[in-house]
Amino acid sequence: MTTFVAWVGADSRGMTSMYFASDSRLSWDKDKKNAWDCGQKVYASSVAPEIFGFTGYAVIPQSIISKACQLVDKGLRSPNDEKSIEGRADWLRILVLREAEKHPKIKDEDFTIFYGVRIGHGMPGRSSFHLNTYAWDSKLKQLAHACIPMPVCSAVLKISGTGSDALGEMKKIWDASDQGNTSRTMFSAFCDSLRNGKDPYSGGEPQLVGIYREGPAKIFGVVTENGPSFQGQLDTPLSHLAKIEWRDPLFQRVDACGNVLKKAQRHARPAGV
């Protein structure tokens, strides 16, 4: 049970970034009391520009994505698969299918895995962003793989999970403001939706990962009114010393205490939002 969103940022020269955001709640049944708000739902390679996320049944995706990150980080993926987005996407498709088919039938539910990749690096023409999805149908025992078309401007690519409707409603409010249709407002709409609590199966702190034009993927810390968190964990030990990027619900670059960095661009909440 999840609220998940994938989006891309762009400037006048083309795509600049891709982000995945999710809540931290894992639920075991329809009783919202049986929930755990510390579940990791988005992942990032430490050496490659590749990010992962999921919605639906948690056990299989968490296992698959953890293994995928280790295989990438340890250089254990085939060199042939490394050469193209098609090779990398098919590599993950085979991994997902193999793991899902082996799962016991006694407990098997639908899930979707999201896979974001940057090929190349630098300015558009030298780099490109891609999003692939893998949806497992537990009844049919079938995996549907899709490559999501990329827009030419900042835009949401996918909204998924039980909190989709609540997030969609909040996104409309932000889109109607004078800051609408920007990368930062997509994260702000997500945080507002999560804080409002309209979806009882989504909760905990926001989680955020992303890819820029250069370098490997990043895991961001997020500072809300509850304090700093990292991958859903509040009260992160020595968070003020962590050499990671921090964002607040307005997507501003902040330190672990929530103070906007001196050289960062500041954003005010639009009137009426």
Side-chain angles (χ1 to χ4, degrees), residues 35-201:
W36 182 51
D37 287 346
C38 301
Q40 184 176 357
K41 293 187 176 181
V42 291
Y43 301 71
S45 166
S46 61
V47 301
E50 303 183 30
I51 53 178
F52 306 81
F54 73 89
T55 58
Y57 182 52
V59 174
I60 302 176
Q62 285 184 325
S63 176
I64 291 170
I65 295 173
S66 294
K67 292 175 183 177
C69 285
Q70 288 296 314
L71 291 169
V72 172
D73 292 352
K74 299 299 183 182
L76 298 176
R77 184 166 52 189
S78 165
N80 288 332
D81 294 334
E82 295 276 352
K83 292 179 180 179
S84 66
I85 181 57
E86 292 81 10
R88 298 188 194 190
D90 197 51
W91 161 77
L92 185 57
R93 180 190 64 80
I94 294 171
L95 179 60
V96 174
L97 188 59
R98 183 174 65 236
E99 297 274 325
E101 287 180 336
K102 291 181 179 180
H103 191 274
K105 295 181 180 179
I106 191 172
K107 179 65 175 179
D108 190 4
E109 299 176 16
D110 297 351
F111 65 82
T112 300
I113 289 178
F114 303 89
Y115 178 41
V117 185
R118 187 195 74 234
I119 298 294
H121 63 91
M123 301 301 294
R126 302 174 68 179
S127 68
S128 58
F129 292 84
H130 306 267
L131 175 62
N132 283 263
T133 64
Y134 306 83
W136 174 248
D137 187 313
S138 58
K139 293 182 179 179
L140 298 177
K141 299 297 180 182
Q142 293 180 352
L143 183 67
H145 170 214
C147 180
I148 307 303
M150 289 293 106
V152 296
C153 59
S154 298
V156 166
L157 301 175
K158 277 291 181 180
I159 294 177
S160 183
T162 54
S164 294
D165 291 343
L167 175 53
E169 292 175 5
M170 188 56 63
K171 182 179 179 298
K172 289 180 181 179
I173 296 174
W174 274 91
D175 285 347
S177 73
D178 58 3
Q179 297 182 24
N181 297 313
T182 61
S183 182
R184 63 180 180 274
T185 62
M186 296 170 198
F187 186 64
S188 297
F190 168 81
C191 290
D192 281 357
S193 173
L194 189 59
R195 185 177 64 250
N196 288 346
K198 288 188 176 181
D199 175 38
Y201 305 113

